[in-house]
Amino acid sequence: MNFRTPPPFPPVILDDVRGARKMLSGVARMTPMEGSRHLSGLVGAPVHFKCENLQRTGSFKLRGAYVRIAGLSPVERAAGVVAASAGNHAQGVALASALLGVRSTVFMPVGAPLPKVAATREYGAEVRLHGHVVDETLAAAEEYAQETGAVFIHPFDHPDIIAGQGTVGLEILEQCPEVRTIVVGVGGGGLAAGIAVAVKAVRPDVRIVGVQAAGAACYPPSLAAGHPVAIGSLQTMADGIKVGRPGDVPFELVRELVDEVRTVSEAELSSALLLCLERAKLVVEPAGASPVAALLSAPESFRGPVVALLSGGNVDPLLMQRILTHGMATAGRYLSLRVRLTDRPGALATLLSVLTVADANILDIGHVRTDPRLGLTEAEVDLHLETKGPEHCEEVTAKLRGAGYLVTE
């Protein structure tokens, strides 16, 4: 196979990022940085959140989209732009286009969260739903560009996009000059590449760690192969980093400048999102919580001070509900049990009194009498309980068994 020959010079340099920052003045906000006492305690050094979830449109994507569109010629602007995205890039392109007076068309997957679709339309873009994964949507947008002459605005595979995203890195250096590690989520690689360009040029000692969802991790095999490799199966709740192949342009920069790319599980993503909401009072989408997941999974492996980039906060409320439930279960905050008892008056009340003593909150209860495994005078009760953590789960189970109940989990 023939692979793209790397350019003899970097596609993006520090001056490009500095130029992008001037262009973004008055457009993108300098988002705040917040400390995390909980994670600082785990890591043994200061941990800060860079809150791009509080950026306009709810993610960092406005930065790169605006720089890319602002750099178009008058003829190109007149032809309009087209993009493909599961949500964040879509909103960035839509708002950037509106600010610059450019017509925009955005292709989104059929299953894209409704709040993201609605927000993209409200920013002024024409939205077309096509495909079920981002790669299919990208192909449709590229075909539209060829047919109409509209300029395709890639979500990560362009130097202007990377330069725009790199402005986050400049802000991190200003807000936390003592930073020693930056942790950033990685999809196609535009954000990680941009930050690496900006940070390594000024502070080559800063370690940059990329994080991917284990079910959509295209960078580890690509880095091992030395060129972008497409992966077949993409299974993750983190749609913002659900990308099947690294971009050609960011890949070269990530390979050269990013120190490590790790993966995190779905359970770790759920726990990270729950921590952001409960401890930091921040609404963060799964992709944006991936750096927090990495810190939770191996806190001792990070040298502080650490900056974890919360890249976005656009999450469907229904998905948020499911993720939080999953996160609480992973954290041992939910306990599901089946308890067998004698089917007689007062038996259920006696069971509930044991749970009251154990200080477990009952969320749901179901009575089973017709299972053929049960004896004539037996019944089973399905219990869904809210608990205080893994130790409390063990305590509740022990109290039930100590009271003589047969308990199955």
Side-chain angles (χ1 to χ4, degrees):
M1 298 177 66
N2 293 322
F3 298 104
R4 185 178 65 84
T5 302
F9 52 86
V12 183
I13 60 176
L14 178 60
D15 284 347
D16 298 322
V17 181
R18 286 174 171 163
R21 189 171 190 187
K22 291 180 181 178
M23 192 178 295
L24 287 167
S25 177
V27 175
R29 298 175 181 139
M30 185 171 184
T31 50
M33 190 171 286
E34 302 288 344
S36 171
R37 181 164 33 174
H38 179 73
L39 285 176
S40 296
L42 294 178
V43 172
V47 175
H48 305 280
F49 293 150
K50 173 61 171 169
C51 301
E52 280 296 289
N53 58 312
L54 303 179
Q55 183 59 261
R56 297 179 70 179
T57 74
S59 88
F60 70 97
K61 288 288 192 178
L62 172 65
R63 297 174 184 263
Y66 188 90
V67 172
R68 173 76 173 100
I69 297 170
L72 298 178
S73 69
V75 173
E76 289 173 321
R77 291 194 189 192
V81 299
V82 60
S85 167
N88 288 344
H89 180 61
Q91 293 175 71
V93 168
L95 178 56
S97 298
L99 292 173
L100 293 165
V102 177
R103 185 179 71 258
S104 62
T105 302
V106 176
F107 285 78
M108 303 180 74
V110 172
L114 293 179
K116 293 184 178 183
V117 175
T120 303
R121 288 190 171 120
E122 288 174 8
Y123 286 127
E126 177 190 348
V127 175
R128 300 191 180 190
L129 301 178
H130 182 90
H132 294 278
V133 295
V134 174
D135 290 339
E136 295 174 356
T137 309
L138 280 169
E142 289 175 330
E143 182 179 350
Y144 176 89
Q146 293 174 358
E147 293 174 352
T148 65
V151 179
F152 178 59
I153 309 298
H154 199 283
F156 50 81
D157 204 10
H158 192 279
D160 289 347
I161 295 287
I162 294 170
Q165 321 303 30
T167 59
V168 179
L170 295 179
E171 292 182 12
I172 289 174
L173 292 179
E174 291 180 8
Q175 293 172 299
C176 186
E178 68 279 12
V179 63
R180 300 181 73 185
T181 305
I182 297 173
V183 192
V184 54
V186 179
L191 177 61
I195 289 175
V197 166
V199 171
K200 291 288 190 178
V202 180
R203 287 277 309 281
D205 60 302
V206 173
R207 182 172 178 81
I208 299 177
V209 178
V211 184
Q212 292 205 290
C218 59
Y219 262 90
S222 297
L223 292 170
H227 57 79
V229 172
I231 58 174
S233 177
L234 298 174
Q235 299 293 330
T236 179
M237 69 178 79
D239 59 351
I241 52 175
K242 191 176 180 180
V243 177
R245 181 185 185 278
D248 290 329
V249 180
F251 176 79
E252 298 297 337
L253 295 167
V254 169
R255 180 170 66 166
E256 179 183 354
L257 300 173
V258 173
D259 296 282
E260 178 187 359
V261 177
R262 302 185 179 193
T263 61
V264 292
S265 69
E266 298 299 284
E268 288 164 343
L269 286 169
S270 296
S271 297
L273 192 146
L274 182 63
L275 182 142
C276 289
L277 188 63
E278 283 194 324
R279 297 297 184 95
K281 315 307 178 191
L282 291 168
V283 176
V284 182
E285 61 188 276
S290 58
V292 179
L295 287 167
L296 287 173
S297 66
E300 71 288 346
S301 66
F302 292 91
R303 183 181 62 177
V306 178
V307 172
L309 177 57
L310 308 183
S311 59
N314 294 314
V315 57
D316 180 14
L318 294 176
L319 175 61
M320 171 71 86
Q321 183 179 15
R322 293 198 300 270
I323 292 172
L324 291 179
T325 300
H326 185 262
M328 291 184 71
T330 300
R333 303 268 293 280
Y334 284 143
L335 178 62
S336 295
L337 300 171
R338 175 167 282 197
V339 180
R340 186 171 299 187
L341 43 72
T342 302
D343 191 11
R344 58 176 174 75
L348 182 58
T350 303
L351 171 64
L352 297 183
S353 69
V354 175
L355 294 174
T356 300
V357 172
D359 199 21
N361 184 36
I362 300 172
L363 299 176
D364 190 27
I365 187 168
H367 220 161
V368 180
R369 288 188 173 91
T370 57
D371 192 310
R373 296 180 298 106
L374 298 174
L376 185 63
T377 61
E378 290 181 324
E380 284 185 334
V381 177
D382 287 327
L383 296 168
H384 299 280
L385 310 173
E386 182 181 4
T387 59
K388 301 172 185 177
E391 292 182 0
H392 191 210
C393 288
E394 294 176 3
E395 179 185 335
V396 171
T397 304
K399 283 187 179 297
L400 288 170
R401 288 176 173 152
Y405 292 104
L406 175 64
V407 180
T408 57
E409 300 181 27

